[in-house]
PDB file of all heavy atoms in Angstrom:
ATOM      1  N   ASP U   6     177.471  83.600  67.849  1.00  0.00           N
ATOM      2  CA  ASP U   6     178.408  83.299  66.763  1.00  0.00           C
ATOM      3  C   ASP U   6     177.922  83.905  65.451  1.00  0.00           C
ATOM      4  O   ASP U   6     178.710  84.476  64.701  1.00  0.00           O
ATOM      5  CB  ASP U   6     178.579  81.791  66.584  1.00  0.00           C
ATOM      6  CG  ASP U   6     179.349  81.139  67.718  1.00  0.00           C
ATOM      7  OD1 ASP U   6     180.006  81.870  68.485  1.00  0.00           O
ATOM      8  OD2 ASP U   6     179.286  79.902  67.830  1.00  0.00           O
ATOM      9  N   ARG U   7     176.653  83.757  65.177  1.00  0.00           N
ATOM     10  CA  ARG U   7     176.080  84.295  63.940  1.00  0.00           C
ATOM     11  C   ARG U   7     176.239  85.810  63.899  1.00  0.00           C
ATOM     12  O   ARG U   7     176.583  86.379  62.859  1.00  0.00           O
ATOM     13  CB  ARG U   7     174.609  83.911  63.837  1.00  0.00           C
ATOM     14  CG  ARG U   7     173.986  84.307  62.506  1.00  0.00           C
ATOM     15  CD  ARG U   7     172.571  83.802  62.357  1.00  0.00           C
ATOM     16  NE  ARG U   7     172.546  82.346  62.385  1.00  0.00           N
ATOM     17  CZ  ARG U   7     171.755  81.618  63.178  1.00  0.00           C
ATOM     18  NH1 ARG U   7     170.905  82.206  63.986  1.00  0.00           N
ATOM     19  NH2 ARG U   7     171.788  80.307  63.135  1.00  0.00           N
ATOM     20  N   LEU U   8     175.998  86.454  65.011  1.00  0.00           N
ATOM     21  CA  LEU U   8     176.127  87.912  65.076  1.00  0.00           C
ATOM     22  C   LEU U   8     177.564  88.352  64.796  1.00  0.00           C
ATOM     23  O   LEU U   8     177.799  89.327  64.078  1.00  0.00           O
ATOM     24  CB  LEU U   8     175.661  88.422  66.439  1.00  0.00           C
ATOM     25  CG  LEU U   8     175.631  89.930  66.621  1.00  0.00           C
ATOM     26  CD1 LEU U   8     174.676  90.573  65.617  1.00  0.00           C
ATOM     27  CD2 LEU U   8     175.196  90.273  68.032  1.00  0.00           C
ATOM     28  N   ILE U   9     178.527  87.627  65.329  1.00  0.00           N
ATOM     29  CA  ILE U   9     179.938  87.950  65.082  1.00  0.00           C
ATOM     30  C   ILE U   9     180.271  87.799  63.601  1.00  0.00           C
ATOM     31  O   ILE U   9     180.941  88.645  63.005  1.00  0.00           O
ATOM     32  CB  ILE U   9     180.857  87.076  65.958  1.00  0.00           C
ATOM     33  CG1 ILE U   9     180.737  87.529  67.418  1.00  0.00           C
ATOM     34  CG2 ILE U   9     182.307  87.156  65.485  1.00  0.00           C
ATOM     35  CD1 ILE U   9     181.438  86.645  68.409  1.00  0.00           C
ATOM     36  N   TRP U  10     179.796  86.730  62.984  1.00  0.00           N
ATOM     37  CA  TRP U  10     180.045  86.522  61.548  1.00  0.00           C
ATOM     38  C   TRP U  10     179.392  87.608  60.701  1.00  0.00           C
ATOM     39  O   TRP U  10     179.972  88.104  59.735  1.00  0.00           O
ATOM     40  CB  TRP U  10     179.556  85.139  61.106  1.00  0.00           C
ATOM     41  CG  TRP U  10     180.525  84.059  61.457  1.00  0.00           C
ATOM     42  CD1 TRP U  10     180.413  83.167  62.478  1.00  0.00           C
ATOM     43  CD2 TRP U  10     181.766  83.776  60.807  1.00  0.00           C
ATOM     44  NE1 TRP U  10     181.506  82.345  62.499  1.00  0.00           N
ATOM     45  CE2 TRP U  10     182.352  82.696  61.485  1.00  0.00           C
ATOM     46  CE3 TRP U  10     182.437  84.331  59.730  1.00  0.00           C
ATOM     47  CZ2 TRP U  10     183.574  82.155  61.105  1.00  0.00           C
ATOM     48  CZ3 TRP U  10     183.662  83.789  59.354  1.00  0.00           C
ATOM     49  CH2 TRP U  10     184.211  82.723  60.034  1.00  0.00           C
ATOM     50  N   ILE U  11     178.177  87.981  61.056  1.00  0.00           N
ATOM     51  CA  ILE U  11     177.482  89.042  60.312  1.00  0.00           C
ATOM     52  C   ILE U  11     178.221  90.367  60.462  1.00  0.00           C
ATOM     53  O   ILE U  11     178.444  91.082  59.480  1.00  0.00           O
ATOM     54  CB  ILE U  11     176.010  89.160  60.770  1.00  0.00           C
ATOM     55  CG1 ILE U  11     175.230  87.937  60.309  1.00  0.00           C
ATOM     56  CG2 ILE U  11     175.379  90.442  60.246  1.00  0.00           C
ATOM     57  CD1 ILE U  11     173.836  87.836  60.889  1.00  0.00           C
ATOM     58  N   ALA U  12     178.611  90.702  61.682  1.00  0.00           N
ATOM     59  CA  ALA U  12     179.336  91.958  61.919  1.00  0.00           C
ATOM     60  C   ALA U  12     180.663  91.966  61.155  1.00  0.00           C
ATOM     61  O   ALA U  12     181.024  92.982  60.544  1.00  0.00           O
ATOM     62  CB  ALA U  12     179.577  92.167  63.408  1.00  0.00           C
ATOM     63  N   GLY U  13     181.370  90.853  61.170  1.00  0.00           N
ATOM     64  CA  GLY U  13     182.628  90.762  60.424  1.00  0.00           C
ATOM     65  C   GLY U  13     182.407  90.913  58.931  1.00  0.00           C
ATOM     66  O   GLY U  13     183.178  91.587  58.243  1.00  0.00           O
ATOM     67  N   GLY U  14     181.352  90.297  58.419  1.00  0.00           N
ATOM     68  CA  GLY U  14     181.038  90.413  56.995  1.00  0.00           C
ATOM     69  C   GLY U  14     180.695  91.829  56.597  1.00  0.00           C
ATOM     70  O   GLY U  14     181.140  92.332  55.563  1.00  0.00           O
ATOM     71  N   VAL U  15     179.905  92.486  57.431  1.00  0.00           N
ATOM     72  CA  VAL U  15     179.530  93.881  57.152  1.00  0.00           C
ATOM     73  C   VAL U  15     180.780  94.770  57.158  1.00  0.00           C
ATOM     74  O   VAL U  15     180.950  95.636  56.289  1.00  0.00           O
ATOM     75  CB  VAL U  15     178.478  94.386  58.173  1.00  0.00           C
ATOM     76  CG1 VAL U  15     178.303  95.885  58.099  1.00  0.00           C
ATOM     77  CG2 VAL U  15     177.155  93.673  57.948  1.00  0.00           C
ATOM     78  N   LEU U  16     181.666  94.548  58.106  1.00  0.00           N
ATOM     79  CA  LEU U  16     182.908  95.325  58.181  1.00  0.00           C
ATOM     80  C   LEU U  16     183.764  95.102  56.939  1.00  0.00           C
ATOM     81  O   LEU U  16     184.265  96.059  56.341  1.00  0.00           O
ATOM     82  CB  LEU U  16     183.680  94.957  59.442  1.00  0.00           C
ATOM     83  CG  LEU U  16     185.010  95.675  59.648  1.00  0.00           C
ATOM     84  CD1 LEU U  16     184.789  97.167  59.825  1.00  0.00           C
ATOM     85  CD2 LEU U  16     185.730  95.099  60.854  1.00  0.00           C
ATOM     86  N   LEU U  17     183.914  93.856  56.524  1.00  0.00           N
ATOM     87  CA  LEU U  17     184.723  93.564  55.335  1.00  0.00           C
ATOM     88  C   LEU U  17     184.126  94.169  54.073  1.00  0.00           C
ATOM     89  O   LEU U  17     184.840  94.728  53.236  1.00  0.00           O
ATOM     90  CB  LEU U  17     184.897  92.055  55.172  1.00  0.00           C
ATOM     91  CG  LEU U  17     185.853  91.395  56.153  1.00  0.00           C
ATOM     92  CD1 LEU U  17     185.858  89.886  55.968  1.00  0.00           C
ATOM     93  CD2 LEU U  17     187.254  91.955  56.004  1.00  0.00           C
TER      94      LEU U  17
END
Side-chain angles (χ1 to χ4, degrees):
D6 289 344
R7 186 174 298 129
L8 185 61
I9 289 172
W10 280 104
I11 290 171
V15 168
L16 179 64
L17 286 175

